[in-house]
Amino acid sequence: MAGLDSNTPIPTEITLHSSSKRLEIAFDDGSRFFLPFEFLRVYSPSAEVRGHGRGQETLQQGKRDVDIVNLVPVGNYAVKPEFSDGHDSGLYSWDYLYMLGCDQEALWADYLERLERAGGTRDPALVPPPAPRGGCGHHH
C-alpha cells in the first residue's frame, strides 16, 4: 500500500469509545492517540472530502454529533469507519492515522479556522440543506 514502509508504526490496539465518541489507537512505538469521531470524519481521506487534487477539498460541516457505527479492517494496513451520517468511503491507513494523531492539535485548529472563514458550523441543525440538483429550481 502506498505510504506504508518499514518505518510506519503499526497499531497494537484500536478501541471505539462510543460514549466519548473517540477512537483510541495505540502504536508499536508507544504512541497512543484519542481521535474524536468528528475529527476523523472531517479529515476523511476519501475523495468526497479531499477531492482529487489541491484546492478541491470540501469543507465538512455539521459533524459535531457524528458517530462511528462500524469499523471495518482493510487488510493489514487500514481501517474503514462507517459513520452515522452514511459516509463510509475513507480508508484510514496506519500512517494516515498516525499522522492525524501526531498533528491533531494543529489540524483541528486549521479546521476550525477554515470553518469560521467560510461562515460554517459544526452543528448539524444549522447546516443549510444542499442545493437542488439540475435545473435552476424554478417551476415554469
Side-chain angles (χ1 to χ4, degrees):
M1 175 72 189
L4 288 179
D5 61 36
S6 60
N7 297 321
T8 300
I10 304 298
T12 56
E13 177 186 336
I14 300 175
T15 308
L16 286 179
H17 296 284
S18 297
S19 58
S20 63
K21 295 185 184 232
R22 297 187 311 168
L23 179 131
E24 179 181 0
I25 185 164
F27 287 89
D28 62 5
D29 69 349
S31 299
R32 181 177 297 269
F33 304 111
F34 293 86
L35 305 173
F37 295 171
E38 179 186 12
F39 175 72
L40 291 167
R41 177 62 180 85
V42 302
Y43 276 102
S44 172
S46 69
E48 175 190 329
V49 173
R50 292 179 73 175
H52 293 283
R54 191 117 177 96
Q56 294 183 4
E57 301 87 358
T58 301
L59 182 63
Q60 300 299 298
Q61 296 190 54
K63 304 303 178 190
R64 180 191 312 265
D65 300 327
V66 76
D67 281 314
I68 293 178
V69 296
N70 195 18
L71 193 63
V72 180
V74 179
N76 292 318
Y77 62 89
V79 290
K80 184 177 83 148
E82 296 173 358
F83 291 92
S84 58
D85 65 355
H87 182 71
D88 67 356
S89 59
L91 288 183
Y92 294 71
S93 64
W94 304 150
D95 53 348
Y96 188 68
L97 285 166
Y98 191 82
M99 180 279 299
L100 288 177
C102 289
D103 298 341
Q104 181 177 358
E105 194 173 310
L107 289 169
W108 186 247
D110 178 66
Y111 169 70
L112 293 177
E113 183 180 305
R114 287 183 292 125
L115 198 61
E116 186 175 331
R117 273 198 318 265
T121 180
R122 294 173 57 208
D123 187 343
L126 300 178
V127 176
R133 294 180 180 252
C136 64
H138 292 255
H139 299 284
H140 299 274

